[in-house]
Structures are given as structure tokens and as C-alpha cells.
Amino acid sequence: MTFDRSLKIAPSILAADFADFGAECAAVEAQGADWIHVDVMDGHFVPNISFGPTTCAAIRPHIKGVMDVHLMIAPVDPYIDAFAAAGADILTAHVEAGPHIHRTLQAIRAAGCKAGVALNPGTPASAVEDLLDIVDLVCVMTVNPGFGGQKFIPLAPKIATLRRMIGDRPVHIEIDGGVTVDTAPECVKAGADVLVAGSAVFKGGSASDPAAYGDNIRAIRQAAEGTYV
């Protein structure tokens, strides 16, 4: 992965057809997705269970670009190597998921992945201030993690604070939760460059009829860039 701060749309497969993940990943990529976002949930750190390294390994051959794996699990460290072996390009761990986030991020990089750190809505930007030299991505949760389809929590000041803190470091700011045509502009204006969207991308389409995916991705991108009509 080469760093650039151009806007990226990362559809979350949590909103895709669970019975057809491979085709869904390929379809949404062909329709303009920049990254594929994989939400891993353990029923412990968050109140839901999704999928693990085996699913990531199964979909990896169907993804040409970046597989962005968001670990909403605790503990994180015992599973890093398995997700890296499954083909994750980015592994993101929550700052709230354990007592040694710095060590977790070191382990992610040692496993050959880009390292991300995520912040729940109630966690301030200052929680990652001392981590910015060892991360590649900061994920700002704009819903409480655990379920798709939740209402967006506006956190533009927090995003802007992170943007100032990051400065010229090659670190992405990713927004995860409730991203739509209506909410994307404020996120990008505040400094975000990666937008995770689930139902807003996958609504109205299917792997066999994916044109709506492309329409939805273009609408979010245009809204975020201020060119949406």
C-alpha cells in the first residue's frame, strides 16, 4: 500500500449477502470501491458476533485491492498472526480493547500489516496522541460498535482535532458508522479521507445485479467531494 490522502470509499461487508461474500466483494470493487472493510466482532468486546480469520482467508482471493480488517475484539494480540496470515492489509485494534495498545500496534506491524487504532464515540482524540508515530490509520467510530445500520453520531470536532494532531504524518483518518450521502461531507470537511459505508453502499443491489452499488458509491463520493447533485 502506498499512502495517499485521496478520498477512499470502503464498503463494509457486514451489510453484504453473507451467503455470497466472494461475489459481493468482487462486485462492489468492480463498481468503484477503493477498499473492502471487514468488521470482526466477538460477542464480548461488542454485543454481536460476525466472522473470523477463516472468512477473511476465504474472501481474500476475491479482493484485488485493500482488505481493511477492523478487529472489534478483546483480547486482540492472540489473533493478530491469524488475521495477518488470512491476508489482511490493515489490522485495526481498539484503544479500549486492552491495557497495552502500543504493544498491540507493534505486533500488528511485526506481522506485516498496516496498523490502525480505533476510537469509540466516547473516547477522546487525545487517547491516541502518543500512538501517532506507530499507526497508519485512526478509525473514528461514529456509532457505538457492534451493529450495522445505526444512526450517525456527529463528531466533526474530534475528527478535526485528530487531523491537527496527525499533521504531515502519513496516517489515514477513517470514519466508521452511519456514513451516507448526508453525513459524508462533514466527515471529509473535518479531515477524514476514508469512509466506511455498509447499508448505504449495498442497498438496492446484489452481486448478480450490482449497478446500484456503483450508483451508491458515486453518490457518497460526490457528496463528500462537494460535487453531488
Side-chain angles (χ1 to χ4, degrees), residues 150-167:
Q150 296 183 66
K151 185 178 179 182
F152 178 84
I153 300 170
L155 294 172
K158 181 177 178 178
I159 299 166
T161 297
L162 283 165
R163 188 69 202 84
R164 289 193 298 271
M165 286 166 49
I166 288 167

Side-chain angles (χ1 to χ4, degrees), residues 6 12 16 26-27 31 50-51 54 60 67 100 113 140 142 149 151 156 171 173 175 189 202 214-215:
S6 63
S12 168
Q31 290 293 323
S50 59
F51 24 74
T54 304
R60 177 72 258 192
M67 184 161 75
H100 305 297
C113 298
V140 178
T142 43
K151 185 178 179 182
V171 177
I173 298 178
I175 307 302
K189 185 177 180 181
F202 285 99
D215 292 340

Side-chain angles (χ1 to χ4, degrees), residues 16-37:
D17 180 357
F18 275 37
D20 207 6
F21 271 147
E24 289 275 58
C25 290
V28 80
E29 247 187 356
Q31 290 293 323
D34 299 290
W35 294 0
I36 300 295
H37 188 82

Side-chain angles (χ1 to χ4, degrees), residues 43-86:
H44 169 68
F45 179 67
V46 294
N48 199 3
I49 297 172
S50 59
F51 24 74
T54 304
T55 302
C56 291
I59 64 175
R60 177 72 258 192
H62 302 273
I63 299 171
K64 294 179 180 178
V66 171
M67 184 161 75
D68 174 30
V69 179
H70 179 187
L71 300 176
M72 288 176 274
I73 66 175
V76 178
D77 293 11
Y79 303 98
I80 290 170
D81 288 342
F83 280 103

Side-chain angles (χ1 to χ4, degrees), residues 9 11-13 15-18 20-21 23-33 36 197-221:
I9 308 297
S12 168
I13 63 168
D17 180 357
F18 275 37
D20 207 6
F21 271 147
E24 289 275 58
C25 290
V28 80
E29 247 187 356
Q31 290 293 323
I36 300 295
S199 50
V201 167
F202 285 99
K203 65 182 180 182
S206 65
S208 59
D209 185 17
Y213 297 169
D215 292 340
N216 295 336
I217 290 168
R218 282 187 292 275
I220 294 168
R221 193 184 304 279

